[in-house]
């Protein structure tokens, strides 16, 4: 069983894209692409999303060593009648569903053993899709740190340009470039870049790792950080990302390493932001500077296309902060100190929030002032993975279970076993609840084509 899943923060594999406006190729996709999935394939839930109280979207992914495949499904709000709307060889990095017609998906497409990031969009509920390249280029690794859109047209992309320093020494720095689009990803313009030549730009600094970004309106957004010394610092913008200002959060990280997830905006004024505080590495302190010489491209390996651990369990971190004034002030929710490892946070409106921790469900009906807990709601050997509630009563989730399942190439039990570092749990059932999380029933997962 995975006791916890760390937030992945990866550096770029190259020097990054050049500044300026970038116009990417756009093409139409049929409703289904990709290779066939064998009947015995190990299928994992890679995202559950609700569109108000009208419909649900489900991501399912299959991987074997050196190959992966993902499908997107749509159903009624009760989770019945799933229909596959799209499939491709690769993984989903980010998804957002605005209404019954409009959705965006940042999808990793396989090209041999490399992954190529593209933005998929639909304006007719998934019947037809358009694909546009993002300004990151083909790569092996994770150079796209974060992406977010406030509506189908206005979006931001943060691209990692390399990190250096040493967490054990109390120092960490990361270079990034921020891009913006106003036409749904057809063109992107670089608006901010911080690197060694520009350690401070438009208020954003090179210091600290950059975890992700999110926007609550087209003008107001956040960049969150990871830092061993100033882990309570985030950056906010009030002009669409053209300038940034630091903001201190009311959290004492002590001597730990703080990782802050981007805010989840329930409304333009109400938001939740989670944080993980872990022990610093005990390795010897070795300060390193990045090489000024371009690094040669390595030969891609099969594991370059395997899904990251946080794909099946978001694991945002146990400390939960809330705001009711659009981020002007943040408050730590006291019960979060008792949750332990958290796998998912699922708000339904400004007042009803659900938190999944191991096999427990914490819930509030008044915006975090009082909490109730329903303990041990899953069968033994299972912890929650992803979670979404379409209303305060009905929810859909996945579980991570220690149960025998299909053999995965490169994982324990297979003839080509290498390691468990990239192997997810052996079973991820699909679950539904009709009583606010008190009881859960397993339902069949849709067949991935």
């Amino acid at each position: 069983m995975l006791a916890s899943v760390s937030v992945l923060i990866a550096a770029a594999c190259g020097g990054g894209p050049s500044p300026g406006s970038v116009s990417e190729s756009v093409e139409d996709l049929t409703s289904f692409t990709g290779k066939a999935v064998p009947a015995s394939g190990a299928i994992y839930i890679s995202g559950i999303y609700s569109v108000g109280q009208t419909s649900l979207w489900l991501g399912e992914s299959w991987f074997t060593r050196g190959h992966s495949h993902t499908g997107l499904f749509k159903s009624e709000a009760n989770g019945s009648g799933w229909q596959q709307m799209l499939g491709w060889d690769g993984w989903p990095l980010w998804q957002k569903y605005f209404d019954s017609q409009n959705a965006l998906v940042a999808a990793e497409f396989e090209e041999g053993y490399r992954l190529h990031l593209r933005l998929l969009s639909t304006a007719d509920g998934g019947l037809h899709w358009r694909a546009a390249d993002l300004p990151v280029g083909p790569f092996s690794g994770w150079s796209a740190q974060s992406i977010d859109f406030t509506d189908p047209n206005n979006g931001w992309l943060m691209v990692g340009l390399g990190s250096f320093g040493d967490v054990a020494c109390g120092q960490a720095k990361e270079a990034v470039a921020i891009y913006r689009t106003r036409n749904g990803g057809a063109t992107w313009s670089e608006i901010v870049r911080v690197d060694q030549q520009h350690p401070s730009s438009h208020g954003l600094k090179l210091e600290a790792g950059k975890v992700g970004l999110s926007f609550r309106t087209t003008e107001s957004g956040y960049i969150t950080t990871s830092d061993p010394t100033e882990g309570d610092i985030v950056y906010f913008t009030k002009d669409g990302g053209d300038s940034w200002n630091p903001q201190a959060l009311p959290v004492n990280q002590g001597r730990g390493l703080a990782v802050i997830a981007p805010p989840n905006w329930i409304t333009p004024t109400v938001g939740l932001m989670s944080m993980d505080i872990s022990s610093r590495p005990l390795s010897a302190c070795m300060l390193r500077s990045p090489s000024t010489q371009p690094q040669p491209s390595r030969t891609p390996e099969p594991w370059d296309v395997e899904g990251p651990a946080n794909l099946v369990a978001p694991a945002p971190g146990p400390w939960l902060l809330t705001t009711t004034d659009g981020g002007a002030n943040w408050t730590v929710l006291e019960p979060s100190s008792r949750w332990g490892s958290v796998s998912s946070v699922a708000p339904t409106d400004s007042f009803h929030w659900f938190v999944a921790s191991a096999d427990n469900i914490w819930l509030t009906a008044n915006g975090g002032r009082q909490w109730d807990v329903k303990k041990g709601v899953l069968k033994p050997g299972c912890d929650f993975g992803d979670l979404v509630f379409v209303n305060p009563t009905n929810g859909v989730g996945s579980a991570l279970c220690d149960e025998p399942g299909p053999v995965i190439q490169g994982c324990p039990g297979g003839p080509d076993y290498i390691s468990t570092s990239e192997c997810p749990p052996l079973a991820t059932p699909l679950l539904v609840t009709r009583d606010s999380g008190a009881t859960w029933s397993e339902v069949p997962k849709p067949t991935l084509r």
Side-chain angles (χ1 to χ4, degrees):
M1 174 62 62
L2 293 178
S4 64
V5 183
S6 61
V7 177
L8 300 180
I9 305 172
C13 296
S18 59
S21 179
V22 180
S23 179
E24 301 298 333
S25 62
V26 178
E27 66 180 76
D28 292 321
L29 285 182
T30 58
S31 60
F32 176 79
T33 61
K35 301 176 183 178
V37 178
S40 61
I43 308 300
Y44 297 94
I45 296 172
S46 52
I48 310 174
Y49 306 87
S50 65
V51 182
Q53 299 186 18
T54 61
S55 61
L56 283 171
W57 284 80
L58 175 72
E60 284 188 348
S61 297
W62 164 68
F63 82 83
T64 187
R65 194 154 190 83
H67 178 65
S68 57
H69 183 83
T70 294
L72 297 182
F73 298 81
K74 186 179 181 182
S75 84
E76 301 297 325
N78 60 5
S80 62
W82 292 103
Q83 178 183 3
Q84 184 164 338
M85 310 305 296
L86 183 69
W88 74 94
D89 291 334
W91 290 95
L93 174 64
W94 169 90
Q95 303 174 54
K96 194 160 188 176
Y97 299 89
F98 301 97
D99 50 46
S100 61
Q101 300 298 307
N102 294 280
L104 293 169
V105 178
E108 303 279 4
F109 280 78
E110 290 183 13
E111 294 183 350
Y113 287 155
R114 292 187 183 275
L115 295 172
H116 184 72
L117 186 62
R118 314 188 79 188
L119 184 67
L120 309 181
S121 62
T122 180
D124 57 12
L127 296 178
H128 301 87
W129 296 82
R130 290 176 65 83
D133 292 336
L134 288 170
V136 293
F139 61 92
S140 54
W142 293 82
S143 66
Q145 296 286 85
S146 186
I147 187 171
D148 194 27
F149 277 72
T150 55
D151 55 58
N153 293 314
N154 290 280
W156 296 259
L157 172 70
M158 182 164 67
V159 177
L161 305 178
S163 60
F164 55 99
D166 196 305
V167 171
C169 303
Q171 297 186 25
K173 299 180 180 181
E174 185 168 16
V176 295
I178 312 296
Y179 286 80
R180 182 172 185 180
T181 181
R182 300 175 187 269
N183 53 15
T187 58
W188 294 84
S189 296
E190 184 180 294
I191 55 176
V192 177
R193 175 180 291 236
V194 290
D195 51 27
Q196 283 188 284
Q197 290 71 40
H198 310 91
S200 179
S201 176
H202 299 261
L204 190 63
K205 296 185 180 299
L206 186 62
E207 283 75 18
K210 314 301 188 295
V211 178
L213 55 75
S214 73
F215 278 74
R216 67 183 185 92
T217 69
T218 55
E219 299 300 318
S220 175
Y222 274 81
I223 290 177
T224 57
T225 65
S226 168
D227 194 81
T229 56
E230 293 186 86
D232 60 341
I233 296 297
V234 296
Y235 291 90
F236 70 92
T237 180
K238 293 183 177 180
D239 55 15
D242 291 334
S243 62
W244 297 86
N245 295 283
Q247 181 183 21
L249 302 176
V251 175
N252 181 8
Q253 73 181 88
R255 296 179 60 83
L257 170 64
V259 179
I260 309 168
N264 178 0
W265 295 104
I266 306 168
T267 72
T269 57
V270 178
L272 297 172
M273 180 161 52
S274 61
M275 174 185 291
D276 180 64
I277 302 176
S278 59
S279 300
R280 283 196 208 174
L282 298 178
S283 58
C285 176
M286 296 180 60
L287 288 177
R288 300 184 299 273
S289 297
S291 172
T292 57
Q293 300 297 321
Q295 299 299 308
S297 298
R298 63 177 177 81
T299 302
E301 301 287 351
W303 50 79
D304 288 324
V305 300
E306 291 186 358
N310 66 347
L311 191 65
V312 293
W319 294 93
L320 195 63
L321 295 82
T322 181
T323 180
T324 58
D325 54 15
N329 297 280
W330 293 90
T331 302
V332 177
L333 296 173
E334 188 277 331
S336 64
S337 63
R338 307 192 299 271
W339 290 342
S341 178
V342 170
S343 61
S344 192
V345 177
T348 62
D349 53 43
S350 299
F351 304 102
H352 295 86
W353 310 335
F354 296 82
V355 175
S357 171
D359 60 347
N360 307 317
I361 291 288
W362 294 75
L363 63 155
T364 177
N366 54 17
R369 289 189 293 275
Q370 288 91 31
W371 290 82
D372 185 21
V373 60
K374 302 180 187 298
K375 294 188 175 182
V377 297
L378 299 180
K379 62 184 180 181
C382 293
D383 287 348
F384 279 105
D386 212 345
L387 189 69
V388 68
F389 275 78
V390 296
N391 56 49
T393 302
N394 300 318
V396 179
S398 65
L400 315 177
C401 299
D402 276 335
E403 294 180 353
V407 173
I408 305 170
Q409 293 183 26
C411 293
D416 58 350
Y417 170 64
I418 296 178
S419 74
T420 60
S421 61
E422 296 295 334
C423 298
L426 290 179
T428 57
L430 181 63
L431 309 170
V432 297
T433 181
R434 305 292 185 231
D435 54 12
S436 300
T439 59
W440 294 81
S441 302
E442 184 173 345
V443 296
K445 290 187 288 188
T447 301
L448 176 61
R449 297 183 290 112

